[in-house]
Amino acid sequence: MKYILSFAVVLVAILLYIRFVPSAPINPLLPVEGAQKEVNGHNAEVPPGDESNTTESVEEGPSTQVAPAAAGQTFGAVITADGALPISALNVALGSRDSAQVKLVGKAKAVCQAKGCWMTLPTADGKEMRVSFRDYAFFVPKDLSGRTVVVSGWAHRSMVPKSDLQHYAKDAGKSDQEVAAITQDEQQLTFMADGVLVQE
């Protein structure tokens, strides 16, 4: 009888502790009541191009703090450069399809300066292909611009809405006039990466 009474007291103490002691959410990726909405992988309130404010607003967890890029470093799924096609071969790899799973190598041009939640790679026709990261499960260093990278995932031909194009322009630090000049949706090549390798 003494053991049953002791067990009941411990059980009641645990239940009271759970009920009255506040705790952090178990999964920080789940929405938290009153939390700020994420837009395109980062906080909508982060002002574009304002580095002084960015570090304060972005410090939401360890995943947003990405160390400077180093050769051989991978982000997301661990990948190698084996079998990677030059980005200039992407149209041939796609053929007449709207999407294809492919591994590409190219030089990063622009990187989201809010969190590193996207980057662009120049295509053979002089345009830029936006590379996003699957489920925003990882980010890349903000200093990746100019570095040769290998990306593995899915390339897509898709229509990008004007609102997204304007948002990306703000993320890249474009002026208000440049953002306002974006007035229509645009057909673009996009890429959803599972992994990124900094080659050099």
Side-chain angles (χ1 to χ4, degrees):
M1 184 68 177
K2 184 166 66 171
Y3 294 110
I4 294 174
L5 187 57
S6 296
F7 177 75
V9 169
V10 170
L11 184 61
V12 169
I14 290 171
L15 291 173
L16 288 172
Y17 180 81
I18 291 171
R19 172 72 175 102
F20 293 108
V21 175
S23 64
I26 293 170
N27 184 345
L29 297 178
L30 292 176
V32 178
E33 194 173 314
Q36 219 163 27
K37 183 180 174 191
E38 292 274 322
V39 175
N40 291 316
H42 57 80
N43 193 311
E45 297 292 318
V46 175
D50 184 355
E51 287 298 319
S52 62
N53 255 347
T54 301
T55 45
E56 288 178 17
S57 302
V58 170
E59 288 180 11
E60 296 170 357
S63 62
T64 62
Q65 301 300 318
V66 181
Q73 195 172 11
T74 59
F75 302 90
V78 176
I79 62 170
T80 66
D82 297 341
L85 301 172
I87 195 163
S88 58
L90 178 57
N91 280 329
V92 174
L94 276 170
S96 60
R97 298 173 293 176
D98 286 334
S99 64
Q101 189 170 17
V102 61
K103 190 188 288 187
L104 300 171
V105 60
K107 198 166 285 242
K109 185 167 183 184
V111 179
C112 172
Q113 292 300 297
K115 280 189 181 179
C117 58
W118 57 260
M119 67 179 174
T120 62
L121 298 173
T123 59
D125 60 1
K127 296 185 178 180
E128 292 182 32
M129 178 178 71
R130 182 162 313 281
V131 179
S132 301
F133 311 118
R134 185 166 309 282
D135 301 324
Y136 293 106
F138 64 97
F139 301 112
V140 296
K142 298 176 200 175
D143 68 343
L144 206 55
S145 181
R147 305 290 295 272
T148 301
V149 296
V150 176
V151 293
S152 179
W154 283 86
H156 302 273
R157 285 189 181 105
S158 56
M159 187 64 70
V160 181
K162 173 184 80 170
S163 59
D164 285 356
L165 295 171
Q166 290 173 333
H167 182 85
Y168 296 142
K170 287 179 186 176
D171 284 353
K174 303 284 186 188
S175 69
D176 290 342
Q177 292 83 3
E178 290 171 301
V179 173
I182 300 169
T183 58
Q184 54 190 346
D185 301 348
E186 187 177 311
Q187 180 79 29
Q188 287 187 351
L189 285 170
T190 59
F191 197 91
M192 182 59 68
D194 297 313
V196 175
L197 165 68
V198 181
Q199 195 170 33
E200 57 182 53

